[in-house]
Amino acid sequence: MSHHGEDRAGTRLPEGVPPVRRPRWLPRLPPGPWRDRRNKLLCIAAALGIGASLWAYWLTYTDVRDRATSEDQVAEACAGIVDAEAAMDLRGGVVRASPGSGDNDELRLDALPGSCQIYRVPGPGKSDGLFSLIVRTSADDAPMNVVGDETWLEPFGHREDREFRPDDVTRRADHAEPRPLGDGALGHYSDDSVTVRADCASGNPASLQVTARADYDDVSDEDRRILAELARGSAAQAASRLKCDSQLSRIPMQLKTPERELRAPKAANASCAWYGRHLDESRRGRLPDRMLEAPTGAMSTTETCLLAASPTSVREIAPHLSGSQREYADRALTHSPWWMRTASFFGAETESVAFEGLDDYEYVKAGTAGGGAGPGVWWASSACDGRPAVHTLTVSYTYDDVVLDRLPALFRAYVEGITERRGCTDVEFPAPSAFEAD
């Protein structure tokens, strides 16, 4: 036992210095080889601990360095208008990312429309999608708002998955219909993308549209919020660079998770409410028995409603068809489901609405009405709060002949419903001949 003021070896300690006590967990060893081995083990453990700390520090330093380098590459690829630090927070946080190497993967504001595509790099020689930023303006060669039955606009089944669809092909859409950001003045969002628009007070272009899209599945609510910040920030930067004088409102506090499951029309109470009322006033017949809607915004510049026929409905209709229509019914159960979509555009958005014609895009002009079964697109016009509006109907190419006789009344119900709700006047409808078979 050591005396007060002495350590274990009996050395006299300075006044006020307590003696060093052996930890209870450390066994007492007599002098000899075992004590020497224990001391060596303790030294080795200490050295390993220091080495592990240094290795952890090196890994952290490497990650910070690689992330900073990636942020610089992202910013450069996206014309310096994107918040690269925020983009790297997608998917729970990314350490390494890289822009694509193709001609369409780097954004240039002097050659719009354009986009940049960024990939996550999880390891050497590996990459997968992170996000894309797409910038369009009303002055571009290509329209901002495309309607029609184009392959990339079809709502059911990714192109590569057509042969592997489930039995119920229209139960769930690939993407949600666009929902308004707040009152809709700022733009809209879907399950994996956010689009922010800016009206330019003067000059050319008249409007600007920026979309931030996640290029991976299972986008979280937090990721959707980041996409919204990316879209708004990039729109502000692009507007400044393009001399577009515009005021962008704030992003709303909540971005509720969008629905992708189609429901019965009787449940509609938002952008498809007009259809539920229309079916109450008439027999459904060959018309769709499912819908996918979105909330309406008082200032929305884009509003849509998706309608589709269930497999049960297709099978009920098929026996009453003949010739090519019967073949269309068979295809509707596999790779060409029956669907239609209404879409309205307001204000500056009407300057860039088009569908694909035989040779090039054909633009829909505000103040006119027309359409036909050829492109499967019909449109009407009106004036809402002194600004132009265009109202469109798209019917899938295997479905338009099946329901052609019902389309005039359906389209009128849609246009009357939305123009009444939005307080629009000067409505122009297509002539009856527009709904005749080609």
Side-chain angles (χ1 to χ4, degrees), residues 381-404:
S381 297
S382 68
C384 308
D385 295 327
R387 301 196 304 168
V390 169
H391 316 284
T392 70
L393 168 67
T394 295
V395 184
S396 60
Y397 78 97
T398 63
Y399 194 27
D400 53 14
D401 284 346
V402 175
V403 292
L404 191 58

mmCIF file of all heavy atoms in Angstrom, residues 381-404:
data_model
loop_
_atom_site.group_PDB
_atom_site.id
_atom_site.type_symbol
_atom_site.label_atom_id
_atom_site.label_comp_id
_atom_site.label_asym_id
_atom_site.label_seq_id
_atom_site.Cartn_x
_atom_site.Cartn_y
_atom_site.Cartn_z
ATOM 1 N N SER A 381 -60.335 27.894 -76.917
ATOM 2 C CA SER A 381 -59.668 29.067 -76.361
ATOM 3 C C SER A 381 -60.647 29.898 -75.545
ATOM 4 O O SER A 381 -61.864 29.807 -75.723
ATOM 5 C CB SER A 381 -59.083 29.940 -77.490
ATOM 6 O OG SER A 381 -58.096 29.242 -78.208
ATOM 7 N N SER A 382 -60.081 30.712 -74.663
ATOM 8 C CA SER A 382 -60.885 31.656 -73.888
ATOM 9 C C SER A 382 -59.984 32.771 -73.385
ATOM 10 O O SER A 382 -58.771 32.776 -73.663
ATOM 11 C CB SER A 382 -61.569 30.943 -72.709
ATOM 12 O OG SER A 382 -60.606 30.530 -71.748
ATOM 13 N N ALA A 383 -60.570 33.694 -72.643
ATOM 14 C CA ALA A 383 -59.812 34.774 -72.010
ATOM 15 C C ALA A 383 -60.133 34.758 -70.524
ATOM 16 O O ALA A 383 -61.300 34.810 -70.132
ATOM 17 C CB ALA A 383 -60.179 36.122 -72.621
ATOM 18 N N CYS A 384 -59.083 34.663 -69.682
ATOM 19 C CA CYS A 384 -59.262 34.566 -68.235
ATOM 20 C C CYS A 384 -58.509 35.712 -67.562
ATOM 21 O O CYS A 384 -57.283 35.806 -67.704
ATOM 22 C CB CYS A 384 -58.748 33.221 -67.714
ATOM 23 S SG CYS A 384 -59.417 31.786 -68.591
ATOM 24 N N ASP A 385 -59.257 36.566 -66.866
ATOM 25 C CA ASP A 385 -58.655 37.742 -66.217
ATOM 26 C C ASP A 385 -57.876 38.590 -67.215
ATOM 27 O O ASP A 385 -56.793 39.113 -66.913
ATOM 28 C CB ASP A 385 -57.743 37.319 -65.064
ATOM 29 C CG ASP A 385 -58.512 36.661 -63.933
ATOM 30 O OD1 ASP A 385 -59.677 37.060 -63.706
ATOM 31 O OD2 ASP A 385 -57.958 35.753 -63.289
ATOM 32 N N GLY A 386 -58.409 38.690 -68.414
ATOM 33 C CA GLY A 386 -57.758 39.507 -69.434
ATOM 34 C C GLY A 386 -56.573 38.850 -70.104
ATOM 35 O O GLY A 386 -55.933 39.468 -70.948
ATOM 36 N N ARG A 387 -56.278 37.602 -69.746
ATOM 37 C CA ARG A 387 -55.143 36.910 -70.351
ATOM 38 C C ARG A 387 -55.639 35.722 -71.161
ATOM 39 O O ARG A 387 -56.668 35.113 -70.838
ATOM 40 C CB ARG A 387 -54.162 36.434 -69.278
ATOM 41 C CG ARG A 387 -53.606 37.575 -68.422
ATOM 42 C CD ARG A 387 -52.374 37.133 -67.669
ATOM 43 N NE ARG A 387 -52.623 35.961 -66.840
ATOM 44 C CZ ARG A 387 -51.652 35.243 -66.265
ATOM 45 N NH1 ARG A 387 -50.384 35.565 -66.470
ATOM 46 N NH2 ARG A 387 -51.949 34.218 -65.495
ATOM 47 N N PRO A 388 -54.924 35.316 -72.203
ATOM 48 C CA PRO A 388 -55.378 34.206 -73.046
ATOM 49 C C PRO A 388 -55.298 32.871 -72.323
ATOM 50 O O PRO A 388 -54.478 32.689 -71.411
ATOM 51 C CB PRO A 388 -54.421 34.256 -74.239
ATOM 52 C CG PRO A 388 -53.175 34.875 -73.692
ATOM 53 C CD PRO A 388 -53.644 35.888 -72.686
ATOM 54 N N ALA A 389 -56.134 31.944 -72.744
ATOM 55 C CA ALA A 389 -56.106 30.581 -72.210
ATOM 56 C C ALA A 389 -56.385 29.605 -73.344
ATOM 57 O O ALA A 389 -57.161 29.916 -74.267
ATOM 58 C CB ALA A 389 -57.138 30.410 -71.103
ATOM 59 N N VAL A 390 -55.744 28.461 -73.298
ATOM 60 C CA VAL A 390 -55.938 27.396 -74.280
ATOM 61 C C VAL A 390 -56.306 26.128 -73.540
ATOM 62 O O VAL A 390 -55.637 25.760 -72.556
ATOM 63 C CB VAL A 390 -54.666 27.170 -75.128
ATOM 64 C CG1 VAL A 390 -54.788 25.894 -75.954
ATOM 65 C CG2 VAL A 390 -54.400 28.364 -76.031
ATOM 66 N N HIS A 391 -57.355 25.446 -73.993
ATOM 67 C CA HIS A 391 -57.844 24.228 -73.346
ATOM 68 C C HIS A 391 -57.756 23.081 -74.352
ATOM 69 O O HIS A 391 -58.299 23.182 -75.460
ATOM 70 C CB HIS A 391 -59.286 24.422 -72.876
ATOM 71 C CG HIS A 391 -59.519 25.735 -72.205
ATOM 72 N ND1 HIS A 391 -59.109 25.991 -70.911
ATOM 73 C CD2 HIS A 391 -60.085 26.894 -72.661
ATOM 74 C CE1 HIS A 391 -59.433 27.232 -70.579
ATOM 75 N NE2 HIS A 391 -60.024 27.802 -71.627
ATOM 76 N N THR A 392 -57.071 22.003 -73.988
ATOM 77 C CA THR A 392 -56.807 20.919 -74.936
ATOM 78 C C THR A 392 -57.333 19.582 -74.442
ATOM 79 O O THR A 392 -57.490 19.356 -73.235
ATOM 80 C CB THR A 392 -55.297 20.772 -75.209
ATOM 81 O OG1 THR A 392 -54.653 20.264 -74.024
ATOM 82 C CG2 THR A 392 -54.679 22.112 -75.590
ATOM 83 N N LEU A 393 -57.574 18.706 -75.396
ATOM 84 C CA LEU A 393 -57.953 17.318 -75.113
ATOM 85 C C LEU A 393 -57.096 16.410 -75.984
ATOM 86 O O LEU A 393 -57.033 16.590 -77.210
ATOM 87 C CB LEU A 393 -59.434 17.079 -75.425
ATOM 88 C CG LEU A 393 -59.895 15.617 -75.445
ATOM 89 C CD1 LEU A 393 -59.829 14.999 -74.043
ATOM 90 C CD2 LEU A 393 -61.315 15.497 -76.007
ATOM 91 N N THR A 394 -56.427 15.452 -75.369
ATOM 92 C CA THR A 394 -55.651 14.443 -76.086
ATOM 93 C C THR A 394 -56.279 13.069 -75.841
ATOM 94 O O THR A 394 -56.607 12.732 -74.697
ATOM 95 C CB THR A 394 -54.191 14.403 -75.596
ATOM 96 O OG1 THR A 394 -53.550 15.637 -75.915
ATOM 97 C CG2 THR A 394 -53.426 13.261 -76.255
ATOM 98 N N VAL A 395 -56.451 12.288 -76.901
ATOM 99 C CA VAL A 395 -56.985 10.929 -76.784
ATOM 100 C C VAL A 395 -55.990 9.975 -77.431
ATOM 101 O O VAL A 395 -55.516 10.223 -78.551
ATOM 102 C CB VAL A 395 -58.366 10.794 -77.465
ATOM 103 C CG1 VAL A 395 -58.933 9.391 -77.238
ATOM 104 C CG2 VAL A 395 -59.335 11.843 -76.922
ATOM 105 N N SER A 396 -55.653 8.891 -76.751
ATOM 106 C CA SER A 396 -54.668 7.942 -77.283
ATOM 107 C C SER A 396 -55.128 7.386 -78.631
ATOM 108 O O SER A 396 -56.323 7.207 -78.872
ATOM 109 C CB SER A 396 -54.420 6.812 -76.287
ATOM 110 O OG SER A 396 -55.612 6.107 -76.017
ATOM 111 N N TYR A 397 -54.173 7.097 -79.500
ATOM 112 C CA TYR A 397 -54.481 6.821 -80.898
ATOM 113 C C TYR A 397 -55.298 5.544 -81.096
ATOM 114 O O TYR A 397 -55.974 5.390 -82.123
ATOM 115 C CB TYR A 397 -53.196 6.777 -81.724
ATOM 116 C CG TYR A 397 -52.407 5.499 -81.600
ATOM 117 C CD1 TYR A 397 -52.526 4.478 -82.532
ATOM 118 C CD2 TYR A 397 -51.512 5.318 -80.538
ATOM 119 C CE1 TYR A 397 -51.792 3.318 -82.413
ATOM 120 C CE2 TYR A 397 -50.782 4.163 -80.421
ATOM 121 C CZ TYR A 397 -50.924 3.163 -81.359
ATOM 122 O OH TYR A 397 -50.198 1.999 -81.232
ATOM 123 N N THR A 398 -55.262 4.616 -80.170
ATOM 124 C CA THR A 398 -56.075 3.407 -80.304
ATOM 125 C C THR A 398 -57.458 3.566 -79.677
ATOM 126 O O THR A 398 -58.257 2.637 -79.701
ATOM 127 C CB THR A 398 -55.377 2.204 -79.653
ATOM 128 O OG1 THR A 398 -55.226 2.440 -78.245
ATOM 129 C CG2 THR A 398 -54.017 1.945 -80.280
ATOM 130 N N TYR A 399 -57.721 4.746 -79.122
ATOM 131 C CA TYR A 399 -58.965 4.962 -78.386
ATOM 132 C C TYR A 399 -59.879 5.989 -79.050
ATOM 133 O O TYR A 399 -61.094 5.962 -78.873
ATOM 134 C CB TYR A 399 -58.617 5.423 -76.972
ATOM 135 C CG TYR A 399 -59.740 5.396 -75.964
ATOM 136 C CD1 TYR A 399 -60.820 4.518 -76.076
ATOM 137 C CD2 TYR A 399 -59.714 6.257 -74.870
ATOM 138 C CE1 TYR A 399 -61.840 4.506 -75.121
ATOM 139 C CE2 TYR A 399 -60.721 6.244 -73.915
ATOM 140 C CZ TYR A 399 -61.781 5.365 -74.046
ATOM 141 O OH TYR A 399 -62.787 5.360 -73.103
ATOM 142 N N ASP A 400 -59.307 6.913 -79.839
ATOM 143 C CA ASP A 400 -60.124 8.018 -80.338
ATOM 144 C C ASP A 400 -61.275 7.548 -81.227
ATOM 145 O O ASP A 400 -62.400 8.053 -81.118
ATOM 146 C CB ASP A 400 -59.268 9.074 -81.049
ATOM 147 C CG ASP A 400 -58.376 8.498 -82.131
ATOM 148 O OD1 ASP A 400 -58.583 7.341 -82.534
ATOM 149 O OD2 ASP A 400 -57.472 9.219 -82.591
ATOM 150 N N ASP A 401 -61.047 6.553 -82.089
ATOM 151 C CA ASP A 401 -62.133 6.053 -82.927
ATOM 152 C C ASP A 401 -63.230 5.389 -82.105
ATOM 153 O O ASP A 401 -64.405 5.420 -82.471
ATOM 154 C CB ASP A 401 -61.594 5.049 -83.952
ATOM 155 C CG ASP A 401 -60.863 5.736 -85.096
ATOM 156 O OD1 ASP A 401 -61.017 6.968 -85.222
ATOM 157 O OD2 ASP A 401 -60.145 5.058 -85.837
ATOM 158 N N VAL A 402 -62.850 4.784 -80.995
ATOM 159 C CA VAL A 402 -63.813 4.064 -80.159
ATOM 160 C C VAL A 402 -64.790 5.025 -79.487
ATOM 161 O O VAL A 402 -65.964 4.699 -79.286
ATOM 162 C CB VAL A 402 -63.063 3.217 -79.103
ATOM 163 C CG1 VAL A 402 -64.036 2.545 -78.146
ATOM 164 C CG2 VAL A 402 -62.183 2.182 -79.785
ATOM 165 N N VAL A 403 -64.314 6.234 -79.138
ATOM 166 C CA VAL A 403 -65.153 7.181 -78.385
ATOM 167 C C VAL A 403 -65.413 8.472 -79.161
ATOM 168 O O VAL A 403 -65.887 9.452 -78.581
ATOM 169 C CB VAL A 403 -64.499 7.531 -77.027
ATOM 170 C CG1 VAL A 403 -64.488 6.325 -76.111
ATOM 171 C CG2 VAL A 403 -63.087 8.082 -77.238
ATOM 172 N N LEU A 404 -65.147 8.482 -80.451
ATOM 173 C CA LEU A 404 -65.213 9.726 -81.206
ATOM 174 C C LEU A 404 -66.578 10.399 -81.105
ATOM 175 O O LEU A 404 -66.671 11.631 -80.985
ATOM 176 C CB LEU A 404 -64.878 9.458 -82.675
ATOM 177 C CG LEU A 404 -64.653 10.689 -83.553
ATOM 178 C CD1 LEU A 404 -63.521 11.547 -83.007
ATOM 179 C CD2 LEU A 404 -64.346 10.268 -84.997
#
